[in-house]
Amino acid sequence: MLKRMQKQEEDNVEKIVTPSGEVLIKDKRQIAKDKFRKFMLGSKDREGFLKVFVIYALLICIGFIYIYPILHMLSSSFMTLDDLLDSSINWIPSSFNLDNYKQAAKSMNFWTSFGQSIIVAGAPTLCNLISCSVIGYGLARFEFPGKKAVLVIILFTFILPSQVTMIPTYVLYSKMGILGSIWAFVLPAILGMGINAPIFILIFWQFFRQVPKVLIEAAQIDGSGYWKSFYRISLPSAAPAIITVSLFSFVWYWNESYLTSMYVSGINKSTGWTSLIIQLKNFATNYDKYSQTAASAATSINESINMSGTMLSILPLMIMYFVLQRYFVESIDRTGITGE
């Protein structure tokens, strides 16, 4: 009995010889526990399984919350009316019905609205790039009395809700005679007061502060003035900030429906300025008009046609994001807008 107990103890013991020749005796069960603890909780060299599992589980759950509505919308947009009424069909339609997209595109006057959407979102974005980069460069490179007060005012205008200044702005644009035209978006952007322009100024200000001053000083020694130093040295190195501001500004102008309908479309409907988001907002009314004037009998509006119209309105932004995703992520990381 005693020999059996000694043998069991010897089996549970592992002898480890160190490089110095010292013999260490460790319990195999304790070694297994240590390995399991390192595997679950990690060590200095690697992340633990438990932490990685929690991170990926949270990412999958958050990703599912965001992607579920898009998948549901995409699936429903291809369904026929029979598929919508059939309770056995939830995700995969019996046939991919492209007529929903054709009818939605015709009722939204897709290509005309798409072209005007690019102008309505692209022209102010270009103006924002020019004005906000100049303002951000001036704040980053020049010292003048009241500079901190200017930064506080810029930050305050971003925090201030747009609903507070909506009525005074409408009255101002009406007196200036720019309601119902693209100038209602372009003119404020030229002056650095476009939609969410303060955050673009802060992005450029943060980026230009990171450009070494010795480059600017070397250019000035070679005879470059302030403007030449700006567009020859500082601006080419600001590609990450330019990409970030361009994408943010374009998306915000593209998705803006209330201000677009109030300022750009305006009360003067003869101008014809519209966008895909405005067409989507008035989709039911536009589709009823289309179905009444269509040469061929149009299907009555249903959930599938509504989903098709929604997909058409967000499809350009989705394509743009997938194409520019890598540049967008790198730009956000390099501009430091996360507060790092």
Side-chain angles (χ1 to χ4, degrees):
M1 186 69 178
L2 182 60
K3 291 182 179 180
R4 185 181 301 173
M5 293 176 62
Q6 290 177 350
K7 186 177 181 180
Q8 290 178 354
E9 291 180 357
E10 290 177 357
D11 292 339
N12 292 330
V13 171
E14 180 178 355
K15 295 182 179 180
I16 302 175
V17 180
T18 62
S20 60
E22 183 181 358
V23 179
L24 299 178
I25 299 177
K26 288 191 174 181
D27 191 352
K28 290 184 178 180
R29 290 171 295 184
Q30 185 63 35
I31 294 174
K33 289 181 180 179
D34 293 340
K35 289 182 178 179
F36 180 76
R37 186 181 297 108
K38 289 181 180 179
F39 174 75
M40 295 298 294
L41 302 180
S43 60
K44 295 180 179 180
D45 301 331
R46 53 171 292 180
E47 298 286 349
F49 172 79
L50 188 62
K51 180 180 179 180
V52 174
F53 176 79
V54 171
I55 291 175
Y56 276 92
L58 288 175
L59 290 176
I60 291 173
C61 292
I62 295 173
F64 177 77
I65 292 173
Y66 278 97
I67 201 172
Y68 175 82
I70 298 177
L71 294 178
H72 174 73
M73 181 170 55
L74 182 63
S75 173
S76 300
S77 65
F78 288 105
M79 290 184 180
T80 61
L81 184 59
D82 294 334
D83 293 338
L84 292 175
L85 298 176
D86 190 351
S87 59
S88 63
I89 298 177
N90 292 323
W91 285 97
I92 302 177
S94 59
S95 61
F96 289 95
N97 184 21
L98 296 177
D99 289 337
N100 294 331
Y101 282 92
K102 294 179 181 178
Q103 296 185 30
K106 290 180 180 179
S107 65
M108 295 173 69
N109 197 8
F110 178 77
W111 291 111
T112 302
S113 302
F114 175 69
Q116 293 188 2
S117 296
I118 293 178
I119 297 175
V120 169
T125 297
L126 182 60
C127 296
N128 268 336
L129 281 175
I130 298 173
S131 61
C132 294
S133 61
V134 173
I135 297 172
Y137 180 79
L139 292 173
R141 288 301 173 201
F142 298 101
E143 297 294 334
F144 53 89
K147 177 181 175 179
K148 292 183 178 180
V150 172
L151 290 172
V152 171
I153 293 173
I154 291 174
L155 184 61
F156 177 74
T157 56
F158 176 70
I159 298 174
L160 190 68
S162 60
Q163 292 82 359
V164 176
T165 60
M166 190 175 295
I167 300 303
T169 303
Y170 184 87
V171 174
L172 176 63
Y173 290 172
S174 178
K175 292 180 179 180
M176 295 176 63
I178 60 176
L179 279 179
S181 68
I182 192 65
W183 286 105
F185 274 174
V186 171
L187 188 59
I190 293 176
L191 301 176
M193 289 302 296
I195 296 177
N196 294 327
I199 194 173
F200 303 147
I201 296 174
L202 295 177
I203 289 174
F204 278 113
W205 170 68
Q206 173 69 19
F207 188 86
F208 286 134
R209 288 177 61 195
Q210 300 173 2
V211 177
K213 292 184 178 180
V214 292
L215 295 178
I216 309 297
E217 294 172 354
Q220 291 176 351
I221 292 174
D222 291 337
S224 297
Y226 295 119
W227 284 105
K228 195 171 183 180
S229 301
F230 168 66
Y231 72 81
R232 283 291 183 88
I233 296 176
S234 297
L235 199 59
S237 63
I242 292 173
I243 295 175
T244 302
V245 170
S246 300
L247 289 175
F248 273 116
S249 180
F250 190 87
V251 170
W252 277 329
Y253 275 105
W254 182 283
N255 290 330
E256 183 57 57
S257 61
Y258 191 78
L259 296 181
T260 303
S261 61
M262 177 178 288
Y263 298 150
V264 178
S265 296
I267 57 176
N268 185 11
K269 301 299 181 181
S270 61
T271 57
W273 283 104
T274 185
S275 65
L276 286 176
I277 301 300
I278 298 297
Q279 293 293 329
L280 181 63
K281 181 180 178 182
N282 304 323
F283 184 77
T285 304
N286 294 335
Y287 188 84
D288 288 339
K289 293 180 181 179
Y290 159 74
S291 61
Q292 293 174 5
T293 58
S296 59
T299 306
S300 299
I301 190 170
N302 53 49
E303 182 183 354
S304 296
I305 298 177
N306 279 325
M307 295 300 177
S308 301
T310 306
M311 282 298 301
L312 288 175
S313 65
I314 67 173
L315 187 61
L317 292 182
M318 292 178 65
I319 295 175
M320 182 182 70
Y321 175 74
F322 281 122
V323 173
L324 301 176
Q325 178 185 9
R326 180 168 64 90
Y327 304 101
F328 179 63
V329 175
E330 291 177 358
S331 300
I332 289 181
D333 182 50
R334 292 185 60 185
T335 49
I337 63 174
T338 57
E340 299 178 358

